[in-house]
């Protein structure tokens, strides 16, 4: 089926829904690289106007990637909840946008709707929304998850404490962790990206974080972000694993390039559940995504990179994750060229993930060869804070010395909480108060006045 729209005397034709979706997407370098982007701003606007008229139900009939060719498509189609979809089943994409922005779309209604939305529907509506629309609609989405604390409550902001080290040195990891805790970071997770995937070194990192959390009774969770197969092996070997991590993508072929499939994720999920390490809940999966991953693996099937990204959220959904994180500017300028494109992508990803019922965080980041800087990241951070982002990253000085990219610092989370009146996860907040690291208003205290500082310092110095 083809789609048409005229602007002035010129009529534009889009031969497939896949083409219409791609050409309606805001301009980004990855889609130009893939050869699927609109040639002009006028063609892009014609595509958006045509897309606004497409019935949401059409996406159930006209699959962008064939059912027979892709297990993610099969997951989406087979898991579709017809009853949950019913309240919006008669709407077009444009009418769905209007409904999302209306007072009718309450947080409770959006929560109930999530299982009845295909990712392609959500990607489509995001393409005709302004940035302010993405912020307002995402702010109404409520997604709460629990493991050792409660993530995603309104008015709360969690932070992943990311103590990466270029040689996986335990003292360096412990020092960065201490630094982050003293700044009130770490309620989302204390998560290490390891350099090595050697089992002995990974086990040492899991045990280091487990000992820290247990010794100081910190209501948070740890994660070592290695491949899921390593984590399954480590669980069998008795590793103290809290969250099970994996990078995921929106097509079967892209996931294959990561060395995973849906069955493997299910095995890892069940292995994590068997440990029963959660204290207030059992949401234990941690997924990371990013626009451009399917294109970089030549596994996009001609689908635009943003729609492929939203399909990755359908992969995450069945596993009830504690955290999902779009590492928005990490892949590089080949996919998101500059600060403008990174900001737009971050707002899209956050909105789409939340609308699909996921606890979305954003790594507000860029690589040093992108046309972006820390001012762009400040802008995106504030916009996401206004949108109700679940969590962001906390990295010493905002400079990840292992992954070599720029993100957000411990100080940035202090700024965002101060500027927007946001608080920590409640259980973690109670711990910070108990340790006298914050006051009753949530303000950071001078850590030299707390009795926990010598013990934390001694732990850091003794790490091995």
């Amino acid at each position: 089926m083809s789609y048409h729209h005229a602007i002035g005397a010129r009529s534009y034709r889009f031969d497939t829904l896949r083409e219409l979706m791609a050409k309606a997407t805001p301009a980004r370098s990855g889609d130009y690289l893939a050869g699927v982007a609109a040639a002009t701003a006028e063609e892009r606007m014609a595509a958006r106007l045509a897309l606004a008229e497409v019935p949401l139900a059409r996406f159930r009939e006209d699959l962008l990637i064939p059912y027979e060719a892709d297990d993610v498509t099969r997951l989406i189609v087979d898991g579709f909840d017809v009853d949950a979809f019913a309240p919006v089943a008669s709407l077009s994409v444009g009418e769905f946008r209007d409904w999302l922005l209306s007072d009718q779309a309450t947080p409770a209604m959006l929560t109930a709707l999530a299982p009845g939305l295909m990712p392609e529907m959500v990607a489509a509506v995001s393409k005709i929304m302004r940035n302010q629309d993405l912020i307002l609609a995402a702010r109404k989405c409520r997604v709460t998850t629990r493991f050792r604390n409660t993530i995603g409550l309104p008015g709360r902001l969690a932070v992943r404490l990311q103590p990466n080290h270029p040689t996986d040195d335990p003292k360096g990891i412990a020092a960065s962790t201490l630094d982050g805790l003293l700044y009130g970071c770490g309620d989302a997770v204390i998560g290490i990206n390891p350099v090595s995937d050697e089992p002995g070194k990974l086990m040492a990192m899991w045990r280091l974080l487990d000992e820290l959390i247990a010794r100081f009774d910190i209501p948070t969770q740890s994660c070592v972000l290695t491949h899921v197969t390593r984590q399954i092996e480590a669980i069998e070997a008795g590793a103290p694993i809290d969250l099970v991590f994996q990078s995921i993508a929106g097509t079967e072929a892209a996931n294959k390039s990561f060395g995973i499939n849906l069955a493997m994720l299910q095995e890892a999920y069940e292995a994590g559940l068997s440990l029963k390490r959660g204290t207030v809940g059992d949401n234990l999966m941690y997924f990371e995504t990013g626009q451009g991953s399917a294109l970089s693996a030549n596994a996009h099937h001609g689908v635009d990179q943003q729609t492929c990204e939203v399909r990755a959220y359908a992969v995450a959904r069945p596993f009830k994750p504690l955290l999902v994180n779009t590492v928005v500017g990490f892949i590089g300028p080949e996919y998101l060229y500059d600060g403008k494109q990174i900001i737009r992508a971050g707002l899209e990803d956050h909105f789409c993930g939340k609308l699909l019922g996921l606890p979305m965080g954003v790594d507000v980041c860029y690589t040093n060869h992108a046309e972006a800087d820390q001012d762009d990241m400040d802008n995106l951070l504030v916009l996401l804070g206004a949108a109700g982002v679940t969590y962001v990253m906390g990295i010493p000085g905002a400079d990840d010395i292992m992954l070599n990219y720029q993100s957000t610092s411990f100080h940035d989370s202090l700024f965002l909480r101060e500027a927007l009146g946001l608080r920590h996860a409640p259980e973690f907040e109670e711990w910070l108060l108990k340790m006298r690291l914050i006051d009753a208003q949530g303000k950071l205290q001078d850590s030299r006045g707390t009795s926990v500082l010598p013990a934390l310092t001694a732990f850091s110095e003794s790490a091995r």
Side-chain angles (χ1 to χ4, degrees):
M1 180 177 181
S2 62
Y3 303 84
H4 305 80
H5 205 282
I7 293 184
R10 182 164 184 178
S11 179
Y12 289 88
R13 172 187 168 118
F14 309 96
D15 290 331
T16 64
L17 186 55
R18 181 190 303 118
E19 179 188 4
L20 179 65
M21 289 276 282
K23 292 191 173 179
T25 305
R28 62 204 56 192
S29 51
D31 289 336
Y32 287 114
L33 182 64
V36 300
T40 65
E42 185 174 274
E43 183 183 28
R44 183 174 301 110
M45 184 54 67
R48 288 177 179 169
L49 292 167
L51 181 60
E53 297 171 358
V54 174
L56 287 178
R58 179 76 48 76
F59 290 93
R60 298 186 62 198
E61 307 159 4
D62 193 351
L63 303 176
L64 303 192
I65 302 175
Y67 184 91
E68 303 77 15
D70 184 83
D71 65 0
V72 177
T73 298
R74 293 193 290 275
L75 177 70
I76 292 166
V77 172
D78 296 347
F80 184 77
D81 188 329
V82 177
D83 292 336
F85 179 58
V88 297
S90 65
L91 302 183
S92 68
V93 172
E95 290 168 337
F96 185 41
R97 171 199 173 270
D98 294 343
W99 181 83
L100 286 170
L101 297 174
S102 75
D103 291 338
Q104 288 180 280
T106 63
M109 289 194 70
L110 293 175
T111 298
L113 178 64
L117 294 175
M118 295 172 64
E120 292 85 353
M121 298 172 183
V122 173
V125 75
S126 74
K127 295 176 190 298
I128 64 168
M129 296 172 82
R130 293 172 57 184
N131 285 4
Q132 66 177 236
D133 299 339
L134 298 172
I135 293 167
L136 186 61
R139 188 175 180 84
K140 294 195 286 184
C141 296
R142 301 278 188 263
V143 184
T144 305
T145 56
R146 295 173 175 86
F147 190 75
R148 290 206 188 95
N149 58 27
T150 305
I151 306 291
L153 293 171
R156 306 274 179 169
L157 172 73
V159 177
R160 171 187 163 186
L161 203 172
Q162 187 168 310
N164 296 342
H165 193 277
T167 63
D168 290 338
D169 178 67
K171 289 187 184 296
I173 290 170
S176 292
T177 303
L178 167 61
D179 191 21
L181 289 171
L182 295 179
Y183 277 102
C185 296
D187 40 358
V189 62
I190 303 174
I192 305 169
N193 296 93
V195 176
S196 171
D197 69 347
E198 194 275 310
K201 292 184 178 180
L202 295 173
M203 185 67 80
M205 284 183 264
W206 275 307
R207 287 176 173 161
L208 172 69
L209 295 180
D210 183 59
E211 182 183 352
L212 171 69
I213 290 170
R215 182 181 297 186
F216 296 98
D217 196 23
I218 308 172
T220 191
Q221 38 281 327
S222 69
C223 188
V224 178
L225 285 70
T226 189
H227 194 271
V228 70
T229 53
R230 284 283 188 241
Q231 293 166 87
I232 294 171
E233 293 167 358
I235 288 171
E236 293 171 349
I241 291 178
D242 291 339
L243 304 190
V244 176
F245 165 82
Q246 182 55 48
S247 294
I248 56 173
T251 70
E252 179 179 358
N255 283 322
K256 186 177 180 180
S257 76
F258 290 154
I260 62 166
N261 55 43
L262 299 180
M264 190 180 296
L265 294 177
Q266 183 66 34
E267 180 184 357
Y269 177 52
E270 292 173 0
L273 286 174
S274 73
L275 298 179
K276 302 184 188 315
R277 292 176 61 83
T279 56
V280 298
D282 61 1
N283 301 116
L284 56 82
M285 298 298 283
Y286 176 14
F287 294 115
E288 286 193 344
T289 68
Q291 289 192 30
S293 58
L295 176 57
S296 67
N298 195 27
H300 58 96
H301 298 268
V303 176
D304 68 89
Q305 70 179 35
Q306 189 252 345
T307 301
C308 283
E309 167 72 5
V310 185
R311 282 169 56 93
Y313 306 153
V315 174
R317 210 164 33 171
F319 301 104
K320 303 175 184 176
L322 180 76
L323 306 167
V324 179
N325 175 36
T326 170
V327 193
V328 65
F330 181 74
I331 301 182
E334 300 84 1
Y335 307 95
L336 295 169
Y337 179 72
D338 57 14
K340 181 180 177 69
Q341 292 186 11
I342 292 170
I343 288 169
R344 173 69 191 191
L347 294 175
E348 288 171 348
D349 293 353
H350 177 255
F351 159 76
C352 291
K354 279 284 188 67
L355 190 56
L356 286 167
L358 292 176
M360 287 301 296
V362 180
D363 191 342
V364 178
C365 64
Y366 65 101
T367 57
N368 285 313
H369 61 311
E371 291 295 321
D373 59 26
Q374 213 65 39
D375 285 339
D376 294 313
M377 299 306 101
D378 287 350
N379 294 342
L380 178 54
L381 184 65
V382 174
L383 294 172
L384 287 167
V389 69
T390 303
Y391 71 105
V392 296
M393 305 301 115
I395 298 170
D399 183 4
D400 193 304
I401 57 174
M402 192 282 278
L403 292 172
N404 290 308
Y405 78 117
Q406 308 303 309
S407 184
T408 47
S409 70
F410 305 142
H411 305 77
D412 292 332
S413 64
L414 289 180
F415 151 73
L416 196 60
R417 287 194 174 109
E418 176 74 19
L420 300 182
L422 302 172
R423 296 164 60 187
H424 304 81
E427 300 88 348
F428 194 78
E429 182 179 73
E430 290 177 13
W431 181 81
L432 292 171
L433 276 166
K434 179 182 174 183
M435 297 295 108
R436 292 165 52 195
L437 293 172
I438 62 171
D439 63 19
Q441 286 72 47
K443 303 284 188 181
L444 197 69
Q445 297 286 85
D446 186 341
S447 60
R448 291 172 295 183
T450 175
S451 59
V452 77
L453 179 60
L456 282 169
T457 303
F459 180 90
S460 172
E461 292 173 348
S462 67
R464 62 185 187 279

